[in-house]
Amino acid sequence: MNSSTYENYTEAIKAQYDEVKEGMYASFLLQPTPAQLRNLCVMLLDHGLSKADEGIFTLFFQVKEGENLRRSIENFDVEKFKAVKNFLTGKNTKTNPNSLNLIAVLVNFNSRPFSKFIQQGATVVKKTAMEVSIQEEESREIIKQEYFQENVILHQKKPKARSIAIGVGVIGLIVGSFGIKKEYFPDKECVQWNKDHYEEVVCEGSKIGFADVNPIIEGQESLLDFKKIEVSDTTTFFKNKQPVIWYCKQDGKCEYFNAPGLHPESGKTLKPISKYIIKKYVLQENKK
């Protein structure tokens, strides 16, 4: 059987995601939201795409001839990223070819797009990924069997009217409590930039976007770890030869952050620190 199938392509990309989700782009991939996935697309575009990847972006974002790709991404309906998010988080095990090719770019899966995967006769679906898939399927089957057995036992017993009334009362109390909580203690599902870090805020009734200063945006836990930091000649800028500090020039000065992403106020893509920037800006600032 030829392993260059769409199912193998799907499994290989999922295995690649599992490898890289805690890497350089962890703030986008570890706990992805539709907004963060769109931001990652903008950042990858700014860093430079191959012709093949530009083609993948053009198809996914439905860019018409003569339209600017970056503007098309920024104006793209963020809700359409839910399919991408659901695939990455395991909520859905399949997605359409255009979304899957885009995910291949986001996780830097080399054998992309699908046509290239077929041409290479890829046989790189990892054993570990297959074992996990088998174990998950077995777990689901066990859960279904246990659920069926429990329901058979419950239906064999004739519950007394008093027990039913108590059950209905408990359910009503839970639902009522949930409504009160949502009304008076709404969940803080969004974040807003405050000087040098993100803080949780309530989404409802707030404008979400990048147009305003310190806008309220869809949040995720990893954003709460994203911070603007001060650096000096004693700061650790690299680990295993990879940058761990990112920067952005604002009004002729560099601002530094502890993770990749977009500048929370200007929307500019943060760049990885380099020895040149350290020498020109960090060391020069320390001399003053």
Side-chain angles (χ1 to χ4, degrees):
M1 177 181 175
N2 189 341
S3 64
S4 298
T5 63
Y6 189 73
E7 288 75 16
N8 283 347
Y9 184 56
T10 300
E11 291 174 358
I13 291 174
K14 191 63 168 68
Q16 174 73 2
Y17 167 70
D18 290 336
E19 279 194 7
V20 304
K21 64 184 179 182
E22 296 183 4
M24 181 180 294
Y25 299 127
S27 59
F28 298 97
L29 296 175
L30 192 56
Q31 293 178 321
T33 66
Q36 283 298 93
L37 291 171
R38 182 178 62 184
N39 292 347
L40 179 56
C41 289
V42 173
M43 189 175 75
L44 293 177
L45 175 65
D46 289 344
H47 285 175
L49 295 175
S50 66
K51 288 293 182 182
D53 289 349
E54 281 189 16
I56 290 172
F57 272 43
T58 298
L59 285 174
F60 181 84
F61 294 106
Q62 303 173 359
V63 182
K64 297 179 181 178
E65 186 176 355
E67 288 184 345
N68 180 272
L69 179 55
R70 193 180 201 278
R71 189 173 296 111
S72 296
I73 297 173
E74 292 173 339
N75 295 334
F76 194 71
D77 183 4
V78 73
E79 292 299 309
K80 293 182 179 180
F81 275 96
K82 281 188 174 180
V84 176
K85 171 198 168 185
N86 290 339
F87 176 84
L88 293 177
T89 57
K91 187 173 182 180
N92 291 337
T93 57
K94 295 182 180 180
T95 188
N96 66 69
N98 287 341
S99 294
L100 195 58
N101 283 332
L102 179 77
I103 294 167
V105 178
L106 300 183
V107 302
N108 196 26
F109 179 66
N110 288 329
S111 299
R112 64 180 187 265
F114 179 52
S115 57
K116 180 179 178 181
F117 184 81
I118 293 176
Q119 290 170 4
Q120 290 181 342
T123 58
V124 293
V125 179
K126 296 195 173 181
K127 180 180 178 182
T128 53
M130 295 181 68
E131 289 174 346
V132 169
S133 178
I134 292 171
Q135 290 173 356
E136 290 177 345
E137 187 63 33
E138 290 175 346
S139 297
R140 285 195 291 268
E141 189 62 31
I142 291 171
I143 291 171
K144 285 193 292 184
Q145 291 176 1
E146 291 178 348
Y147 178 80
F148 175 78
Q149 292 171 355
E150 290 174 358
N151 276 272
V152 168
I153 293 172
L154 287 173
H155 281 85
Q156 288 174 344
K157 296 179 179 179
K158 295 182 179 180
K160 295 181 180 179
R162 178 179 173 80
S163 298
I164 295 175
I166 292 174
V168 172
V170 170
I171 293 172
L173 181 61
I174 293 172
V175 173
S177 299
F178 180 76
I180 293 172
K181 179 181 180 297
K182 293 294 287 185
E183 180 70 24
Y184 296 102
F185 305 100
D187 292 335
K188 294 182 177 181
E189 297 175 345
C190 287
V191 294
Q192 185 176 35
W193 185 252
N194 183 10
K195 296 182 180 179
D196 60 0
H197 65 285
Y198 279 107
E199 293 182 353
E200 289 183 299
V201 296
V202 178
C203 299
E204 192 172 343
S206 303
K207 182 178 180 181
I208 298 176
F210 288 95
D212 301 325
V213 177
N214 293 354
I216 294 174
I217 60 175
E218 286 188 12
Q220 60 182 46
E221 289 184 8
S222 58
L223 271 182
L224 299 177
D225 296 325
F226 179 81
K227 293 178 175 60
K228 183 166 74 173
I229 60 175
E230 299 293 333
V231 300
S232 68
D233 55 354
T234 61
T235 300
T236 299
F237 294 98
F238 303 93
K239 288 184 179 179
N240 298 324
K241 298 182 179 180
Q242 296 297 320
V244 293
I245 304 294
W246 282 259
Y247 77 95
C248 180
K249 290 184 68 175
Q250 296 279 95
D251 300 323
K253 294 183 179 180
C254 283
E255 294 183 354
Y256 306 93
F257 298 82
N258 65 345
L262 301 179
H263 191 287
E265 294 174 345
S266 68
K268 294 181 181 178
T269 301
L270 302 182
K271 298 178 180 179
I273 199 73
S274 65
K275 292 181 179 179
Y276 171 78
I277 293 297
I278 295 171
K279 182 178 179 181
K280 183 174 180 179
Y281 293 95
V282 179
L283 298 182
Q284 289 298 321
E285 284 293 326
N286 287 342
K287 289 180 180 179
K288 295 180 181 180

